[in-house]
Amino acid sequence: MRAARLIKMVLLLQSRASMTAAELASELEVSERTVTRDAQALSEAGVPVYADRGRAGGYRLIGGYRTRLTGLARSEAEALFLSGVPGALREMGLEDAASAARLKVSAALLPSLSDASRTASQRFHLDAPNWFVEPKAPDLLPTVADAVWDDRQVTARYRSRDTEVERVLEPYGLVLKAGVWYLCARIPDADTFRVYRIDRFTAMDPGADRFVRDEEFDLPAFWAERAQQFARSILRTEVVVRLSPDGVRALPYAVDPVSARDALAAAGPPDDDGTLTVTLPVESEKVAHSQLLALGPEAEVLAPESLRARFTDDAKRLARLYGT
């Protein structure tokens, strides 16, 4: 266990200029005291680990040291071949580069691991787009991807509602969500980050200037925060619904799962007949109408009255169709 941890520590320091004891402790899942002992053990073994003192200090390798401890176990090799998303790489114009990289990795593997690519691809496959949606990569995606890789400032025209706006952007990262590509970019004039749907760009002009990337920017954390903000922002209306036990179980499959979970958690105890009354955040009455219809007689809308009237009309029409 310790030998594997020491190897990982060396590889971490080899991949970064410097790391603090806290950063290493977090990556290695040990205490900072253990990091100090491991660094001393590596130094005694001849690995040139140097500790810089002070608030801005940390650990680093000196003298251009490079370890040769890069052999891959079978599980590591198979995980490596799972790390790419073939469709996404193709849409970004990186399919040839990814193919060449896979060939180089395959050539470097031990003969016993030569089938790692096949064993991984035959066991796991990622299909990113939603059902019933024909995936189509935005025409400007390769241009945007090049700018992201190159840290190159761009001048972009973006379709916003019925108008087009032009902005200078610093493209930080790409996100593929349910088959839709998004760009997370910084607007230098406003010093703020925003999210853009790439299929709404009408023009993209990469300039000659490169921007200095904010090293504190964390793309996964930024996207998670904005995704939560977006989900909350579109739930502008509330409806009150009485649910049967079957309706309670089916609610998360008919409406937004997070909204359903929060509504059920905030509800009081069920009535004597097992029904539960919840206050449910929804995007609009129109959306709530289409979603709650899927629950049929397992849900009764109590408020607002205008939405209840829609279901009353639905019930009358259904009675005319199916009544005897």
Side-chain angles (χ1 to χ4, degrees), residues 4 14 23 44 66-67 91 143 145 163 169 172 179 209 226 287 290:
Q14 183 173 299
E23 290 171 337
E44 292 173 355
R66 306 290 294 179
T67 178
E91 292 175 3
T143 303
T163 61
L169 301 175
Y172 267 66
D209 297 333
R226 290 304 172 92
V287 172
S290 64

Side-chain angles (χ1 to χ4, degrees), residues 69 106 123 169 206 249 253 291 300:
L69 299 174
S106 297
R123 284 164 175 78
L169 301 175
R249 288 188 287 271
Y253 302 98
Q291 291 176 332
E300 178 190 0

